[in-house]
Amino acid sequence: MFTSGNNCCSQSSLGMEHLPVEVIGNILSWLRAARDVVIASTTCRKWREACRNHLHALSFNSNDWPVFHDLSTSTLEIIITQTIFQTTGLQCLSIFMDDVDEFSAAPVIAWLMYTRDTLRELHYNVRTSPNVNIIEKSSRQKLEVLALAHNSITGVEPSYQKFPCLKSLSLSYVSISALDLSDLLTACPKLEILALVNPDIAMSDAQATMELSSPSLKDLYVEAISLDKFLLEADSLEKLHLKDCPLECFELIGKGTLRVLKIDDVSVVHFDIGENTENLEVVDVSNFTMMWPKFCHMISKSSKLRRLRLWTVVFDDEDDEDNEDEVVQPHVDVETLSVFFPQLSHLSLSYDLRAEVLLYGLQGSSHLANLVVLELGWTVITDFFSEWVAGLLGRCPNLKKLVIYGVVSEAKTHEECHILASFTSSIVNLMRKYMHVEVQFEYE
């Protein structure tokens, strides 16, 4: 047995020894973390050669190795410089030093200039002193992915600072003016993915208005931006995700290519994604105040809609406060869903309404024939919740999975305990009728 094991080890070593140097370079690139790459490259001369000539990806991350936290800034700069300068064909470089206050500008410029002819991806999250204009140093090269954090971008010149290959741009906690951001998008004719996370956007006038335009943009993620008006012109946009954004007005001008719309914890007075919503497949709205009739009208042409999620939304229908005698209309009713969204397969609903409005939405005879997953939730459970669940189940003949989300407070009153016990009994009886439906409970 020991002989066989030794033979296996010998064969394994022999196999590693005969690996092409390019393959070894790919292995080192998969490791990516600088510490692991350096240790692995000391195996033998062949691995050192692979590290020098065939290493494509390298990452310096303070979370990968605790020792990084104990080193001085100047020592880190030397280590990064020496490691980068021992390579000749880096395509992906990532530098994330969480505990470093500031890097000196000179070594950062040296890293960028040394790798600029081969680099395809740059992820950079370290402050520099004085500030280094990463955009200026990285333009007119082969970059396809650029992710910047905690930096300042000033004086973008789209006629000079072009990014002919850039497809993905991420700016987090970056200081930039609205004009420079607009010019930066102009300098990226092939940009498809844009992420803006808590940027410090300087405005040229008193009104906080930002206008962006990109004919190639397909995916936009915006988080923690406060503006009076956000105007986006994007004819190819397929995915729009707004999160934690107080806005007065948001308008999307496009050609109806939007497929995914996500709104999470957004405050907006006027929201407009245009009339062409035929291609919408996913609508995910949470922590949002909406007027359902207007919102429903906006997406009513989305006959391809497969997923609809309205989670902890607040419905505001007070168009006319004086018209108190107006008949109460349903908010999310099955009839509307079945007519407008016949392909709907996943439905998630969680909102607080008066019982008469909640149950009024179950009127009619239409079914959600394609619905296979139903998620329902409450923040304050009432006696009518189980009746609502039963009503919806009866309208979903092909349902396969039901998930119920609830909030259970630690200090429950006697009435709350009674309602929860009654609801549990109702669900148990209900599931005896729908044995084919998988049921899950998620309580907070």
Side-chain angles (χ1 to χ4, degrees):
M1 290 180 63
F2 288 106
T3 303
S4 176
N6 291 334
N7 288 339
C8 288
C9 290
S10 299
Q11 291 175 6
S12 176
S13 299
L14 188 63
M16 293 294 286
E17 181 182 339
H18 286 80
L19 281 177
V21 69
E22 294 84 0
V23 174
I24 298 174
N26 288 333
I27 294 174
L28 293 173
S29 298
W30 277 104
L31 289 177
R32 186 168 292 211
R35 174 179 177 270
D36 297 335
V37 170
V38 171
I39 292 175
S41 65
T42 60
T43 303
C44 62
R45 180 185 57 80
K46 192 172 185 179
W47 282 65
R48 288 194 294 273
E49 179 187 349
C51 182
R52 168 171 288 277
N53 298 318
H54 301 284
L55 180 67
H56 303 306
L58 190 59
S59 172
F60 299 88
N61 193 319
S62 56
N63 295 324
D64 292 339
W65 193 29
V67 176
F68 277 139
H69 297 280
D70 302 327
L71 300 177
S72 65
T73 301
S74 58
T75 302
L76 282 173
E77 292 172 352
I78 293 173
I79 291 175
I80 295 175
T81 302
Q82 290 178 340
T83 308
I84 291 177
F85 279 28
Q86 288 176 10
T87 68
T88 58
L90 277 184
Q91 297 180 10
C92 178
L93 176 61
S94 177
I95 302 177
F96 180 90
M97 292 294 165
D98 196 23
D99 292 341
V100 177
D101 292 331
E102 290 179 337
F103 272 154
S104 301
V108 173
I109 294 175
W111 306 336
L112 296 176
M113 298 303 292
Y114 184 79
T115 59
R116 64 184 302 172
D117 291 336
T118 59
L119 212 57
R120 299 291 189 276
E121 294 187 24
L122 175 60
H123 303 260
Y124 188 77
N125 184 356
V126 181
R127 295 177 178 88
T128 60
S129 178
N131 180 64
V132 175
N133 192 335
I134 305 292
I135 297 299
E136 179 183 358
K137 302 301 179 182
S138 305
S139 63
R140 293 175 286 116
Q141 301 304 317
K142 302 175 182 178
L143 271 184
E144 298 176 5
V145 177
L146 177 59
L148 297 180
H150 299 104
N151 281 265
S152 297
I153 299 175
T154 57
V156 177
E157 296 290 344
S159 59
Y160 173 71
Q161 296 168 347
K162 292 184 177 297
F163 291 84
C165 303
L166 197 68
K167 295 182 179 180
S168 177
L169 175 63
S170 175
L171 303 178
S172 301
Y173 301 91
V174 167
S175 176
I176 188 172
S177 70
L179 178 59
D180 280 338
L181 180 56
S182 177
D183 287 341
L184 182 55
L185 296 192
T186 302
C188 307
K190 295 184 179 180
L191 189 67
E192 297 182 359
I193 301 173
L194 174 62
L196 302 173
V197 178
N198 201 6
D200 180 10
I201 300 179
M203 299 296 171
S204 58
D205 51 26
Q207 186 180 25
T209 300
M210 184 168 69
E211 299 183 10
L212 301 180
S213 177
S214 174
S216 59
L217 191 64
K218 294 182 179 180
D219 187 332
L220 175 63
Y221 175 78
V222 179
E223 180 179 346
I225 285 184
S226 178
L227 295 169
D228 292 333
K229 186 174 183 179
F230 189 164
L231 178 61
L232 174 65
E233 185 174 355
D235 288 338
S236 302
L237 194 68
E238 297 180 0
K239 183 177 180 180
L240 172 63
H241 188 176
L242 303 178
K243 182 179 180 180
D244 191 21
C245 295
L247 305 168
E248 288 291 327
C249 173
F250 178 87
E251 291 186 16
L252 169 63
I253 301 174
K255 294 184 177 180
T257 57
L258 195 65
R259 294 190 302 106
V260 178
L261 173 64
K262 290 188 176 184
I263 305 174
D264 183 8
D265 198 11
V266 173
S267 172
V268 60
V269 177
H270 176 74
F271 183 79
D272 186 6
I273 58 173
E275 295 292 332
N276 299 324
T277 58
E278 292 88 350
N279 291 303
L280 266 178
E281 298 177 7
V282 177
V283 173
D284 187 334
V285 181
S286 59
N287 303 305
F288 186 65
T289 299
M290 67 166 63
M291 299 181 64
W292 172 247
K294 290 184 178 181
F295 191 85
C296 185
H297 174 73
M298 185 168 55
I299 64 174
S300 61
K301 297 179 182 179
S302 310
S303 58
K304 299 178 182 178
L305 195 71
R306 296 180 293 104
R307 294 173 178 263
L308 175 62
R309 182 173 183 265
L310 303 176
W311 209 255
T312 60
V313 298
V314 177
F315 293 104
D316 183 5
D317 287 344
E318 297 180 357
D319 282 332
D320 188 354
E321 296 181 356
D322 297 330
N323 192 5
E324 298 179 354
D325 298 329
E326 185 179 353
V327 177
V328 175
Q329 296 296 322
H331 291 285
V332 183
D333 61 291
V334 177
E335 289 293 308
T336 299
L337 297 180
S338 62
V339 172
F340 288 160
F341 317 123
Q343 301 300 319
L344 200 64
S345 62
H346 289 66
L347 177 62
S348 304
L349 299 175
S350 175
Y351 50 87
D352 294 329
L353 285 174
R354 298 188 305 275
E356 62 269 23
V357 178
L358 193 69
L359 300 181
Y360 187 71
L362 298 174
Q363 291 188 357
S365 58
S366 298
H367 290 76
L368 300 174
N370 290 305
L371 201 71
V372 294
V373 176
L374 177 62
E375 297 179 313
L376 303 174
W378 79 73
T379 51
V380 179
I381 190 171
T382 66
D383 289 326
F384 294 96
F385 187 78
S386 57
E387 187 176 349
W388 185 49
V389 174
L392 286 172
L393 279 175
R395 308 288 286 276
C396 307
N398 297 308
L399 193 69
K400 295 181 179 180
K401 185 176 182 179
L402 171 66
V403 185
I404 294 177
Y405 296 83
V407 177
V408 181
S409 59
E410 294 183 2
K412 295 182 287 294
T413 65
H414 176 74
E415 182 181 0
E416 289 174 333
C417 290
H418 174 74
I419 293 175
L420 185 59
S422 176
F423 168 73
T424 304
S425 299
S426 299
I427 291 297
V428 170
N429 293 329
L430 192 62
M431 287 305 99
R432 291 171 180 166
K433 181 179 178 181
Y434 297 97
M435 297 292 291
H436 62 285
V437 178
E438 176 190 352
V439 183
Q440 292 182 4
F441 295 90
E442 298 285 345
Y443 288 153
E444 295 181 5

